[in-house]
PDB file of all heavy atoms in Angstrom:
ATOM      1  N   ASN A  26      15.644  10.440  -0.160  1.00 97.00           N
ATOM      2  CA  ASN A  26      16.540  11.415   0.466  1.00 97.00           C
ATOM      3  C   ASN A  26      15.820  12.744   0.516  1.00 97.00           C
ATOM      4  O   ASN A  26      15.100  13.116  -0.410  1.00 97.00           O
ATOM      5  CB  ASN A  26      17.830  11.557  -0.334  1.00 97.00           C
ATOM      6  CG  ASN A  26      18.694  10.318  -0.207  1.00 97.00           C
ATOM      7  OD1 ASN A  26      19.431  10.167   0.755  1.00 97.00           O
ATOM      8  ND2 ASN A  26      18.574   9.405  -1.158  1.00 97.00           N
ATOM      9  N   LYS A  27      16.042  13.469   1.629  1.00 98.00           N
ATOM     10  CA  LYS A  27      15.372  14.756   1.804  1.00 98.00           C
ATOM     11  C   LYS A  27      16.306  15.712   2.541  1.00 98.00           C
ATOM     12  O   LYS A  27      16.891  15.339   3.559  1.00 98.00           O
ATOM     13  CB  LYS A  27      14.092  14.532   2.628  1.00 98.00           C
ATOM     14  CG  LYS A  27      13.459  15.787   3.192  1.00 98.00           C
ATOM     15  CD  LYS A  27      12.772  16.590   2.132  1.00 98.00           C
ATOM     16  CE  LYS A  27      12.244  17.910   2.669  1.00 98.00           C
ATOM     17  NZ  LYS A  27      11.871  18.822   1.577  1.00 98.00           N
ATOM     18  N   SER A  28      16.447  16.907   1.995  1.00 97.00           N
ATOM     19  CA  SER A  28      17.241  17.942   2.663  1.00 97.00           C
ATOM     20  C   SER A  28      16.376  19.169   2.876  1.00 97.00           C
ATOM     21  O   SER A  28      15.476  19.453   2.091  1.00 97.00           O
ATOM     22  CB  SER A  28      18.442  18.350   1.801  1.00 97.00           C
ATOM     23  OG  SER A  28      19.262  17.242   1.549  1.00 97.00           O
ATOM     24  N   TYR A  29      16.683  19.894   3.934  1.00 96.00           N
ATOM     25  CA  TYR A  29      16.156  21.250   4.113  1.00 96.00           C
ATOM     26  C   TYR A  29      17.332  22.185   3.902  1.00 96.00           C
ATOM     27  O   TYR A  29      18.293  22.127   4.670  1.00 96.00           O
ATOM     28  CB  TYR A  29      15.594  21.448   5.516  1.00 96.00           C
ATOM     29  CG  TYR A  29      14.304  20.711   5.792  1.00 96.00           C
ATOM     30  CD1 TYR A  29      14.263  19.655   6.703  1.00 96.00           C
ATOM     31  CD2 TYR A  29      13.115  21.085   5.175  1.00 96.00           C
ATOM     32  CE1 TYR A  29      13.074  18.994   6.981  1.00 96.00           C
ATOM     33  CE2 TYR A  29      11.925  20.427   5.450  1.00 96.00           C
ATOM     34  CZ  TYR A  29      11.914  19.387   6.348  1.00 96.00           C
ATOM     35  OH  TYR A  29      10.738  18.736   6.620  1.00 96.00           O
ATOM     36  N   GLY A  30      17.264  23.012   2.863  1.00 93.00           N
ATOM     37  CA  GLY A  30      18.430  23.826   2.545  1.00 93.00           C
ATOM     38  C   GLY A  30      19.602  22.889   2.296  1.00 93.00           C
ATOM     39  O   GLY A  30      19.487  21.943   1.532  1.00 93.00           O
ATOM     40  N   GLY A  31      20.696  23.123   2.946  1.00 92.00           N
ATOM     41  CA  GLY A  31      21.852  22.253   2.738  1.00 92.00           C
ATOM     42  C   GLY A  31      21.935  21.095   3.717  1.00 92.00           C
ATOM     43  O   GLY A  31      22.896  20.330   3.682  1.00 92.00           O
ATOM     44  N   THR A  32      20.924  20.951   4.563  1.00 97.00           N
ATOM     45  CA  THR A  32      21.029  19.936   5.615  1.00 97.00           C
ATOM     46  C   THR A  32      20.205  18.713   5.266  1.00 97.00           C
ATOM     47  O   THR A  32      18.977  18.802   5.139  1.00 97.00           O
ATOM     48  CB  THR A  32      20.522  20.506   6.958  1.00 97.00           C
ATOM     49  OG1 THR A  32      21.149  21.760   7.174  1.00 97.00           O
ATOM     50  CG2 THR A  32      20.836  19.556   8.102  1.00 97.00           C
ATOM     51  N   GLN A  33      20.856  17.597   5.095  1.00 98.00           N
ATOM     52  CA  GLN A  33      20.120  16.371   4.775  1.00 98.00           C
ATOM     53  C   GLN A  33      19.508  15.797   6.044  1.00 98.00           C
ATOM     54  O   GLN A  33      20.194  15.648   7.067  1.00 98.00           O
ATOM     55  CB  GLN A  33      21.056  15.352   4.117  1.00 98.00           C
ATOM     56  CG  GLN A  33      20.276  14.178   3.545  1.00 98.00           C
ATOM     57  CD  GLN A  33      21.067  13.364   2.545  1.00 98.00           C
ATOM     58  OE1 GLN A  33      22.190  13.736   2.180  1.00 98.00           O
ATOM     59  NE2 GLN A  33      20.498  12.257   2.110  1.00 98.00           N
ATOM     60  N   VAL A  34      18.207  15.494   5.984  1.00 98.00           N
ATOM     61  CA  VAL A  34      17.523  14.970   7.179  1.00 98.00           C
ATOM     62  C   VAL A  34      16.979  13.556   6.977  1.00 98.00           C
ATOM     63  O   VAL A  34      16.666  12.879   7.944  1.00 98.00           O
ATOM     64  CB  VAL A  34      16.401  15.909   7.675  1.00 98.00           C
ATOM     65  CG1 VAL A  34      16.983  17.264   8.073  1.00 98.00           C
ATOM     66  CG2 VAL A  34      15.305  16.094   6.655  1.00 98.00           C
ATOM     67  N   LEU A  35      16.863  13.092   5.714  1.00 98.00           N
ATOM     68  CA  LEU A  35      16.520  11.688   5.463  1.00 98.00           C
ATOM     69  C   LEU A  35      17.543  11.112   4.498  1.00 98.00           C
ATOM     70  O   LEU A  35      17.887  11.749   3.490  1.00 98.00           O
ATOM     71  CB  LEU A  35      15.110  11.559   4.854  1.00 98.00           C
ATOM     72  CG  LEU A  35      13.917  11.969   5.722  1.00 98.00           C
ATOM     73  CD1 LEU A  35      12.617  11.822   4.927  1.00 98.00           C
ATOM     74  CD2 LEU A  35      13.845  11.161   7.022  1.00 98.00           C
ATOM     75  N   PHE A  36      18.021   9.907   4.809  1.00 98.00           N
ATOM     76  CA  PHE A  36      19.079   9.258   4.026  1.00 98.00           C
ATOM     77  C   PHE A  36      18.591   7.891   3.545  1.00 98.00           C
ATOM     78  O   PHE A  36      18.382   6.984   4.367  1.00 98.00           O
ATOM     79  CB  PHE A  36      20.326   9.041   4.885  1.00 98.00           C
ATOM     80  CG  PHE A  36      20.978  10.306   5.381  1.00 98.00           C
ATOM     81  CD1 PHE A  36      20.513  10.935   6.537  1.00 98.00           C
ATOM     82  CD2 PHE A  36      22.071  10.852   4.714  1.00 98.00           C
ATOM     83  CE1 PHE A  36      21.125  12.093   7.008  1.00 98.00           C
ATOM     84  CE2 PHE A  36      22.681  12.010   5.179  1.00 98.00           C
ATOM     85  CZ  PHE A  36      22.211  12.636   6.330  1.00 98.00           C
ATOM     86  N   ASP A  37      18.405   7.749   2.244  1.00 98.00           N
ATOM     87  CA  ASP A  37      18.132   6.432   1.649  1.00 98.00           C
ATOM     88  C   ASP A  37      17.090   5.616   2.414  1.00 98.00           C
ATOM     89  O   ASP A  37      17.336   4.472   2.788  1.00 98.00           O
ATOM     90  CB  ASP A  37      19.429   5.614   1.560  1.00 98.00           C
ATOM     91  CG  ASP A  37      20.303   6.098   0.414  1.00 98.00           C
ATOM     92  OD1 ASP A  37      19.769   6.717  -0.530  1.00 98.00           O
ATOM     93  OD2 ASP A  37      21.526   5.858   0.473  1.00 98.00           O
TER      94      ASP A  37
END
Side-chain angles (χ1 to χ4, degrees):
N26 289 277
K27 166 74 185 166
S28 301
Y29 289 113
T32 311
Q33 190 163 354
V34 298
L35 294 178
F36 297 84
D37 284 337

